[in-house]
């Protein structure tokens, strides 16, 4: 099994969720995060004063999938999160050693 972690632009969330649902993903974890990379932050105006922040709001999506479906899931995220601008995000794919469903005790792919 694999854990697919995607960092995307917040305004692309609905498109990514729809693409993942169409790809057969039945659940995901979502976290609002902040970070920076090539975007190098941005300027904001608060109560009339301009200030520069180096951290940009992003959305982190985590999806556990069988290894056979990881390419389809990553492709769905890439296509739906793409804008062509700096800051579109990144996808990380990691191995998952074991998965347990707490309620039923199911393990690994049965627990998804």
């Amino acid at each position: 099994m694999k854990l697919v972690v995607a960092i995307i632009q917040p305004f692309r969330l609905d498109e990514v969720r729809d693409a993942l649902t169409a790809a057969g993903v039945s659940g995901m974890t979502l976290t609002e995060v902040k970070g920076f990379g090539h975007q190098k932050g941005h300027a904001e105006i608060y109560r009339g004063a301009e200030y520069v922040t180096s951290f940009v709001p992003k959305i982190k999506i985590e999806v556990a999938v069988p290894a056979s479906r990881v390419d389809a899931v990553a492709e769905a995220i890439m296509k739906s999160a793409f804008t062509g601008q700096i800051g579109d995000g990144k996808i990380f794919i990691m191995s998952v050693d074991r998965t347990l469903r707490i309620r039923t005790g199911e393990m690994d792919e049965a627990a998804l």
Side-chain angles (χ1 to χ4, degrees):
M1 287 203 320
K2 301 289 185 176
L3 180 66
V4 179
V5 178
I7 309 295
I8 64 167
Q9 297 275 13
F11 64 89
R12 299 302 296 176
L13 176 59
D14 290 335
E15 290 86 349
V16 172
R17 184 189 61 219
D18 293 343
L20 287 173
T21 301
V25 172
S26 60
M28 70 181 77
T29 301
L30 175 84
T31 310
E32 293 180 9
V33 296
K34 292 184 179 191
F36 71 92
H38 291 289
Q39 269 184 296
K40 307 286 190 230
H42 64 283
E44 292 184 2
I45 297 176
Y46 179 72
R47 293 190 179 181
E50 183 176 339
Y51 68 96
V52 177
T53 178
S54 59
F55 293 100
V56 185
K58 299 286 184 176
I59 297 292
K60 178 173 144 182
I61 298 171
E62 297 172 289
V63 180
V65 296
S68 61
R69 296 190 43 224
V70 72
D71 290 334
V73 169
E75 184 71 22
I77 294 170
M78 274 198 327
K79 285 183 177 179
S80 58
F82 178 80
T83 67
Q85 303 296 316
I86 292 175
D88 274 354
K90 290 207 170 56
I91 299 173
F92 305 95
I93 300 170
M94 296 166 267
S95 293
V96 174
D97 293 331
R98 192 159 206 195
T99 303
L100 300 162
R101 183 177 302 219
I102 295 171
R103 180 177 54 86
T104 63
E106 294 170 301
M107 288 194 230
D108 299 326
E109 288 188 25
L112 293 178

